[in-house]
Amino acid sequence: MDNLPAPPFPQRVGDRLIGQLLRRAWGSSYTASEIIDPMLSVIELLVASRVRAQQERLDLMDRLDHRIARSVDYIETHYGDALTIAELAGIACLSPGHFSRTFKAAMGVPVWAYVTCRRCERAKEMLLTTSVSIAEIAYRCGFANQGHLTRCFKEAFGVTPAAARNGLHCT
């Protein structure tokens, strides 16, 4: 393993964290047993976790009412935008009140709790895989400001965004 060539394009790996780990492993001067083998084990676990999470999402989408599934897809792709209940209800072809009740029944949480949770998850990914400022991450993830991100993030994960970036474990 010590003489293995570096993967040709680790920067093209879709998952930023896995790509970053690959670049660090192959850019290291340590031997395979010291760094590459353990990193490959971590990458294997990450890939399995990502595949499992994607499969769970697909299973959930299959079980959901197609109108709610459309709104969930919309939230996933527009989490950084200023979303409104009326807009999401329009995507689902429901009235705002009916949409709110149907969404909560299907997802188990109110619409805004779901949106905030997804925004916090995306912020966590960005904190761990990029060097973008916390204020910019807040903006990109749809929070009003860095303070709003910090409050929501701490409520969701038990640590601040800065602490998460510095390696403290998120719950």
Side-chain angles (χ1 to χ4, degrees):
M1 183 115 186
D2 291 334
N3 296 323
L4 285 178
F9 301 103
Q11 68 275 15
R12 290 189 186 166
V13 174
D15 188 292
R16 288 186 188 143
L17 181 58
I18 292 171
Q20 189 176 39
L21 285 170
L22 281 171
R23 284 190 297 282
R24 286 186 182 174
W26 264 272
S28 171
S29 60
Y30 294 102
T31 65
S33 63
E34 291 173 327
I35 188 126
I36 295 175
D37 290 343
M39 273 202 178
L40 289 176
S41 295
V42 169
I43 290 169
E44 224 175 89
L45 290 171
L46 283 170
V47 168
S49 170
R50 299 289 205 268
V51 167
R52 192 171 38 257
Q54 183 63 19
Q55 187 57 53
E56 288 172 0
R57 184 177 185 286
L58 290 173
D59 291 346
L60 171 68
M61 296 302 276
D62 284 344
R63 288 190 310 265
L64 285 179
D65 176 304
H66 71 279
R67 297 169 299 182
I68 299 302
R70 253 195 329 254
S71 66
V72 169
D73 273 341
Y74 189 82
I75 291 167
E76 292 298 317
T77 56
H78 295 88
Y79 64 90
D81 298 347
L83 301 172
T84 65
I85 294 285
E87 177 183 13
L88 295 173
I91 300 296
C93 299
L94 297 169
S95 71
H98 188 64
F99 169 73
S100 294
R101 288 186 300 278
T102 305
F103 189 95
K104 184 174 181 180
M107 301 299 290
V109 293
V111 178
W112 287 121
Y114 180 82
V115 170
T116 301
C117 177
R118 296 306 300 142
R119 286 176 172 172
C120 285
E121 287 289 336
R122 296 295 174 104
K124 182 170 86 170
E125 289 174 21
M126 291 179 74
L127 286 165
L128 298 176
T129 60
T130 70
S131 59
V132 175
S133 74
I134 295 173
E136 179 64 19
I137 290 172
Y139 171 74
R140 289 184 188 180
C141 291
F143 290 98
N145 53 48
Q146 184 176 341
H148 184 210
L149 166 62
T150 300
R151 280 189 306 279
C152 294
F153 196 91
K154 189 166 184 176
E155 185 176 311
F157 302 115
V159 296
T160 65
R165 175 169 270 170
N166 292 328
L168 289 181
H169 180 67
C170 297
T171 56

